[in-house]
Amino acid sequence: MKAGYRCLLFHCVLLSVTFMCHGKDLFFNDNGNLILPGSYNIPWMSGIEDFRALSLLTIPGTHDSMALYGGPELECQSLSLKDQLRAGIRFLDLKVFGLGNTLYVMHGVMYQHSTLKDVIDTVQAFLSEFKTEAVLIRVQPESFEKTTVNEMVQSLIGNDQRFWVSSAMPTMGQIRGKIVFLQMNTFTLGIPLIDTNGKGNTKVTNVNDKDNKIIKQLNQATLACGGDNAVVTYTSGTGFGTFWGMFLTPKRVAEKVNPWLNQYLRQFYPNQPRPCFGIIAMNFPGIDLIQTVANLNINGW
């Protein structure tokens, strides 16, 4: 009898641990293997009407999208670019360094094993398969090559009509199957971008304070939605460079922020129409969090 009880208890504990781990992975994912349910809606933009302006959408994205290398201080994602796109990510945040005729994707001084051409090739392959989708890209030049990055990107894409480089705000119908560039500061191709990150918002010493900052940023984004600019809110953060948050790596911050963010956004689901939050760029997002962001667009008009 006692043996049977111990066996039952063991299985209950095992099930509880499995459930808790799975639950965490729904919103936060540091596992590089993507497993999508059979019913997962990869081409979620197919449900958006052609006449909707891009600035009226809420779009799931990643911060430092290619930052998979460099250790705890630098790693911001676990999924490959191909898997991020299949999971529903439609905004990519890229820091590039120009050397010779090549734009290398970086995070700080760490090369992220990819060039901008590699990224574009992967995105175009995805868009060839899912023609209803569009992918937004923010290019942030690094170091002393800032003045030449625009020319290098223009040379890379040529006159390819699969890119949106105009500053005019497009409708969804105008950008299906295309890469949409976003411009800010030293990069001048594409749609003007507003970044809600204020000074010091990326530094985290207390996660509850970070949550409150994100709420203020999302409120700012809502006010900017529907205008002539795209707007992005970064939910990412790190404690590196601070004393009290020295152990808060980008991963540890995301582990705490992502479930909270999912719960915060879900409260708007009964709203008709649902609010627009623009681009929400995250670290280590799980598939349920990505879908929570994307589904804000459903019945949200």
Side-chain angles (χ1 to χ4, degrees):
M1 192 70 176
K2 290 182 179 179
Y5 175 76
R6 284 196 300 269
C7 184
L8 178 62
L9 181 62
F10 171 78
H11 283 292
C12 286
V13 171
L14 182 61
L15 284 171
S16 298
V17 171
T18 302
F19 174 77
M20 286 192 301
C21 290
H22 180 62
K24 180 188 74 170
D25 291 344
L26 295 176
F27 313 120
F28 165 86
N29 179 27
D30 60 352
N31 185 337
N33 298 318
L34 178 68
I35 301 176
L36 296 177
S39 59
Y40 199 79
N41 184 24
I42 295 176
W44 62 266
M45 284 181 159
S46 62
I48 298 172
E49 299 93 334
D50 281 347
F51 61 81
R52 294 297 171 189
L54 178 62
S55 60
L56 283 171
L57 303 183
T58 301
I59 298 173
T62 45
H63 157 257
D64 270 308
S65 303
M66 302 298 291
L68 280 73
Y69 307 96
E73 184 176 352
L74 296 180
E75 292 168 11
C76 297
Q77 308 300 330
S78 60
L79 293 176
S80 68
L81 175 57
K82 179 180 177 180
D83 283 346
Q84 288 184 42
L85 295 171
R86 297 185 73 83
I89 294 299
R90 296 293 178 269
F91 165 82
L92 304 177
D93 177 46
L94 306 175
K95 295 183 175 68
V96 301
F97 178 78
L99 184 63
N101 296 319
T102 303
L103 287 167
Y104 296 92
V105 180
M106 309 291 292
H107 188 192
V109 298
M110 181 63 63
Y111 172 52
Q112 294 300 318
H113 302 195
S114 181
T115 65
L116 183 59
K117 185 180 185 304
D118 295 333
V119 170
I120 287 173
D121 288 346
T122 300
V123 174
Q124 287 187 327
F126 172 80
L127 292 173
S128 294
E129 183 179 358
F130 298 99
K131 296 179 173 59
T132 61
E133 307 305 287
V135 176
L136 286 58
I137 295 182
R138 178 184 184 182
V139 174
Q140 300 188 64
E142 291 275 33
S143 193
F144 58 86
E145 291 287 347
K146 291 180 179 180
T147 57
T148 63
V149 167
N150 287 279
E151 290 79 7
M152 294 177 74
V153 172
Q154 189 64 71
S155 176
L156 179 63
I157 66 178
N159 295 316
D160 194 327
Q161 297 303 303
R162 294 174 295 175
F163 295 89
W164 184 272
V165 295
S166 169
S167 61
M169 182 59 63
T171 64
M172 191 65 228
Q174 290 176 298
I175 58 172
R176 293 195 193 279
K178 295 185 179 182
I179 291 172
V180 180
F181 281 116
L182 303 175
Q183 60 162 296
M184 189 172 179
N185 299 329
T186 54
F187 187 74
T188 58
L189 296 177
I191 302 167
L193 179 66
I194 297 171
D195 185 343
T196 65
N197 259 16
K199 185 177 181 181
N201 270 9
T202 59
K203 294 298 181 183
V204 179
T205 56
N206 182 290
V207 175
N208 289 334
D209 289 343
K210 177 64 176 177
D211 295 345
N212 291 328
K213 287 179 181 178
I214 292 172
I215 291 173
K216 292 179 181 178
Q217 290 175 257
L218 291 175
N219 288 339
Q220 181 184 341
T222 297
L223 293 174
C225 277
D228 296 328
N229 303 279
V231 57
V232 60
T233 293
Y234 289 97
T235 66
S236 52
T238 178
F240 282 113
T242 70
F243 179 77
W244 296 109
M246 66 177 70
F247 299 113
L248 287 173
T249 64
K251 183 183 293 187
R252 294 294 160 242
V253 173
E255 191 173 17
K256 296 177 181 295
V257 165
N258 289 7
W260 167 86
L261 178 64
N262 186 80
Q263 184 178 19
Y264 178 78
L265 295 176
R266 291 287 303 187
Q267 72 176 309
F268 298 104
Y269 269 51
N271 292 28
Q272 293 296 332
R274 291 175 189 159
C276 163
F277 293 111
I279 301 159
I280 302 178
M282 305 164 283
N283 282 349
F284 299 100
I287 58 174
D288 270 27
L289 176 55
I290 293 170
Q291 287 290 283
T292 290
V293 176
N295 287 343
L296 284 164
N297 299 290
I298 298 176
N299 300 321
W301 315 111

